[in-house]
Amino acid sequence: MRFLMMHRLSEQNSAAWNPSPEFVKKMGEFIQEAVDNGILITAEGVHPSEKGALVRKSPDGAIKATDGPFTEAKEVIGGFALVNFPNREEAVAYAKTYAALFDGEIEVEVRQVVEFDEIPSA
């Protein structure tokens, strides 16, 4: 099964958005091990919300784009990974190991990806 892991960081924590060389090395080793073990499909960090936009469609059909930063959000997505695991429990255990790499507060959301054969046919 595929799982999407999204980690959220506080935009007020500048260290989280400017990782140290030690953190980059530690994360690189973690990612390489995941690739070698066939766990990791892809993983990327993202820029702070000031470089992003939020697109919303209202019930009346109007679509509006708002440029970042997203000041109303306490935490924003800092990156994601798409991983393979046989079950949710193993994916959650992996997310805990991943979260432990970071200094300070972090939140990692784990969501199972809907596979094509799970979509009901018409």
Side-chain angles (χ1 to χ4, degrees), residues 46-99:
V46 297
H47 286 283
S49 71
E50 69 186 29
K51 293 187 176 185
L54 185 59
V55 177
R56 285 191 172 120
K57 180 180 174 191
S58 65
D60 67 2
I63 298 175
K64 179 181 175 185
T66 305
D67 291 337
F70 310 132
T71 55
E72 71 278 0
K74 179 182 176 223
E75 296 179 328
V76 296
I77 294 173
F80 68 92
L82 188 61
V83 295
N84 275 313
F85 281 100
N87 56 56
R88 187 178 78 79
E89 292 74 22
E90 289 185 45
V92 169
Y94 184 77
K96 288 178 180 180
T97 303
Y98 175 76

Side-chain angles (χ1 to χ4, degrees), residues 1-4 31 34-44 80-85 94 113 115:
M1 289 181 247
R2 294 180 303 155
F3 293 88
L4 178 64
I31 288 171
V35 168
D36 293 346
N37 290 328
I39 293 168
L40 184 64
I41 298 168
T42 189
E44 301 289 339
F80 68 92
L82 188 61
V83 295
N84 275 313
F85 281 100
Y94 184 77
V113 174
E115 302 295 347

Side-chain angles (χ1 to χ4, degrees), residues 95-109:
K96 288 178 180 180
T97 303
Y98 175 76
L101 295 171
F102 291 81
D103 292 329
E105 189 173 358
I106 183 173
E107 178 179 277
V108 180
E109 183 175 344

